[in-house]
């Protein structure tokens, strides 16, 4: 419930709607304190009550009645609307520049590029953080806040696969448990008590972003805790020191984080595994059916799709993995090959699930790779030490970062109540045995752009 003087989320007046106009709509502008957030707009007598937004949302004023086509008149009736906002990186101490993993320039915030005169500007994309690099050489062509700590969502499944593919026999059989079947978020539709080969679980993990498959693979590798220990050891081994894995599915858990730089390291390392490359480019696979032990109902094998839209829309795309939760918003690891050159791009904190910003970054990279000086590099395993802070992180920032020491369930896979519904973001509906659907959601977020246009955003996976 909204309280005067306080908004759960910042008020953003879209388009060219000034606070003076806001006042004429029955809302009172409350000036910000010195150095504080922008002015909030509040009034108990407002014609539309302020919505109580979720912590990952912000408020925009949208036209109540869109202007007529061809009319130059500005709308006079407005209402507040909650929409998804880019996440804020977790706080941490500044790194000593010579110790920044990948090179001192990568410790900067904002866009980082060293281009020759005449090189076109980087495309403007809505990512909080990104890295664009040569997949083969590891040279970083451009980046934006590459070491910012953010939630990875289902791109963390890339680390799960990197860790477990070398450890598990593809023909090994995993018998599904009730806990695996009850996973939050996107599920492929495993049936408790039925056997599933490991290779089918990897297909579901990487093509469909299935959380039940993630937990099945974790149990096959020794259990939830053992798998997380292996994942965190693998991250350190390859130099991904920004990464802390707390859930092998990527669902939001306190303390779980990564960075665009680390996701590039993880994606590059995973692309060295032939089986990983095979899984991520498979467009359609058949998942085994089974029999419900309680109802005796039989389910036939069924087809599962690859939800990576870049594969279907960008010539030369070779992977890798999308992700989304409410708190992470959209995250992505992509790769493509053109004229003998392969690039990898990682993106974090976008409110758009579109493949087009990824394509724009790749196009820029392919066009300008020979006309920019690397701003850093993706380190090889064992080449880097953890960065050293210039000072200890303040307690207030440490609390905001949720504490990297937070732990997941003590053992086994999480029960349905172990994550909130906000964390257990689901991506879409998928076929399951017997013609049913796994309940996900294709969620359309309508967002004002300018003074009356709306942009449809699609929620991806998790």
């Amino acid at each position: 419930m909204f309280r005067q003087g306080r908004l759960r989320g910042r008020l953003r007046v879209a388009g060219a709607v000034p606070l003076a106009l806001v006042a004429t709509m029955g809302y009172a502008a409350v000036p910000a304190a010195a150095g504080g957030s922008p002015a909030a707009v509040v009034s108990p007598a407002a014609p539309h009550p302020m919505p109580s937004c979720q912590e990952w949302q912000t408020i925009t004023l949208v036209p109540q009645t869109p202007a007529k086509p061809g009319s130059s008149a500005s709308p006079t009736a407005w209402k507040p609307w909650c929409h998804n906002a880019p996440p804020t990186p977790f706080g941490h101490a500044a790194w000593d520049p010579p110790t920044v993993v990948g090179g001192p320039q990568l410790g900067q915030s904002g866009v980082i590029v060293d281009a020759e005169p005449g090189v076109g500007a980087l495309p403007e994309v809505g990512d909080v953080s990104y890295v664009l690099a040569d997949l083969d050489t590891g040279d970083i062509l451009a980046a934006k806040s590459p070491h910012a700590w953010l939630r990875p969502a289902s791109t963390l499944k890339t680390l799960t696969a990197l860790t477990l593919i070398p450890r598990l026999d593809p023909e090994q059989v995993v018998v599904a448990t009730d806990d695996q079947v009850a996973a939050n978020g996107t599920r492929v539709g495993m049936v408790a008590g039925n056997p599933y080969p490991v290779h089918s679980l990897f297909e579901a993990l990487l093509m469909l972003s299935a959380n039940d498959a993630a937990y099945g693979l974790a149990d096959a590798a020794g259990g939830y805790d053992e798998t997380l220990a292996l994942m965190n050891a693998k991250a350190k081994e390859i130099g991904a020191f920004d990464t802390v894995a707390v859930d092998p599915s990527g669902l939001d858990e306190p303390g779980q984080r990564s960075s665009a730089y680390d996701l590039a390291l993880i994606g590059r390392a995973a692309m060295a595994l032939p089986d990983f490359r095979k899984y991520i480019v498979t467009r359609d696979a058949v998942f085994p059916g089974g029999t419900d032990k309680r109802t005796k109902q039989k389910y036939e094998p069924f087809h599962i799709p690859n939800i990576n839209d870049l594969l279907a829309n960008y010539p030369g795309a070779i992977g890798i993995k999308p992700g989304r939760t409410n708190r992470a918003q959209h995250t992505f690891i992509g790769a493509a090959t053109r004229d003998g050159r392969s690039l990898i791009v990682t993106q974090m904190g976008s409110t758009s699930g579109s493949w087009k910003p990824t394509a724009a970054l790749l196009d820029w990279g392919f066009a300008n790779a020979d006309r920019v000086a690397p701003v850093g590099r993706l380190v090889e395993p064992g080449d880097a030490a953890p960065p050293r802070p210039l000072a200890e992180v303040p307690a207030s920032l440490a609390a905001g970062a949720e504490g990297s020491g937070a732990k997941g369930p003590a053992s086994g896979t999480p029960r349905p109540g172990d994550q909130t519904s906000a964390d257990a973001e689901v991506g879409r509906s998928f076929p399951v045995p017997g013609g049913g659907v796994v309940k996900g959601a294709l969620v359309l977020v309508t967002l004002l752009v300018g003074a009356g246009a709306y942009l449809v955003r699609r929620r991806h996976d998790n």
Side-chain angles (χ1 to χ4, degrees), residues 1 30 83 88 126 231 332 344 369 403:
M1 180 67 67
V30 179
H83 67 82
T88 300
M231 290 171 64
F332 190 70
I344 185 169

Side-chain angles (χ1 to χ4, degrees), residues 87-440:
T88 300
F90 298 136
H92 63 78
W95 303 125
D96 186 15
T99 73
V100 172
V101 180
Q105 291 187 75
L106 302 182
Q108 303 174 33
S109 297
V111 175
I112 309 164
V113 65
D114 185 1
E116 296 178 358
V119 170
L122 279 156
E124 293 186 7
V125 295
D127 308 309
V128 173
S129 177
Y130 67 74
V131 163
L132 176 64
D134 189 297
L135 183 62
D136 297 317
T137 67
D139 289 341
I140 297 177
L141 309 180
K144 179 182 179 182
S145 305
H147 280 292
W149 289 358
L150 293 156
R151 295 179 176 90
S154 273
T155 53
L156 192 70
K157 289 184 172 81
T158 306
L159 178 59
T160 308
L162 170 64
T163 303
L164 299 186
I165 285 176
R167 303 182 71 88
L168 298 177
D169 181 345
E171 301 304 322
Q172 179 180 342
V173 172
V174 176
V175 177
T177 67
D178 289 331
D179 281 344
Q180 294 163 15
V181 169
N184 282 307
T186 301
R187 302 188 294 268
V188 66
M190 298 167 67
V191 181
N194 286 261
Y196 297 93
V198 160
H199 68 81
S200 290
L201 296 182
F202 276 123
E203 288 171 344
L205 179 83
L206 295 170
M207 294 171 57
L208 197 63
S209 202
N211 296 334
D212 49 355
Y215 299 139
L217 290 164
D219 282 348
Y224 191 98
D225 293 339
E226 174 66 16
T227 295
L228 288 172
L230 292 169
M231 290 171 64
N232 285 308
K234 175 60 71 174
K236 290 182 174 59
E237 175 189 323
I238 65 174
F241 299 112
D242 298 327
T243 298
V244 176
V246 183
D247 186 305
S249 75
L251 286 172
D252 294 335
E253 286 285 358
Q256 185 158 270
R257 55 176 163 83
S258 190
S259 66
Y261 181 86
D262 278 15
L263 291 183
L265 288 181
I266 293 165
R268 186 180 184 221
M271 291 294 278
L273 303 177
D275 282 350
F276 180 86
R277 280 182 172 256
K278 178 185 69 175
Y279 293 134
I280 61 172
V281 296
T282 301
R283 301 298 299 278
D284 179 89
V286 176
F287 195 78
T291 301
D292 189 310
K293 303 300 183 183
R294 298 180 180 89
T295 66
K296 308 303 181 184
Q297 183 175 356
K298 286 191 173 183
Y299 298 108
E300 297 297 324
F302 57 97
H303 291 265
I304 58 173
N306 192 317
I307 64 171
N308 183 355
D309 288 341
L310 193 71
L311 290 175
N313 292 285
Y314 192 79
I318 54 175
I320 295 175
K321 183 77 188 68
R324 190 200 184 281
T325 63
N326 279 330
R327 290 177 173 83
Q329 288 298 298
H330 292 275
T331 59
F332 190 70
I333 308 176
T337 297
R338 181 181 297 174
D339 298 329
R341 186 191 301 273
S342 295
L343 299 181
I344 185 169
V345 60
T346 58
Q347 300 164 270
M348 302 187 78
S350 172
T351 56
S352 167
S354 172
W355 58 273
K356 292 182 180 179
T358 308
L361 287 171
L362 288 169
D363 282 346
W364 184 94
F366 284 123
N368 298 296
D370 294 326
R371 304 179 62 194
V372 298
V375 295
R377 66 184 182 94
L378 300 178
V379 297
E380 300 295 334
D383 279 1
R388 294 193 303 271
L390 286 173
E392 292 299 321
V393 61
S396 60
L397 289 182
E402 299 183 287
S404 61
K407 296 184 181 299
S411 61
T413 55
R415 296 179 298 277
D418 283 340
Q419 286 113 356
T420 66
S421 58
D423 294 325
E425 179 65 28
V426 292
R428 53 176 85 189
S429 297
F430 298 111
V432 296
V437 294
V438 174
K439 290 194 174 179

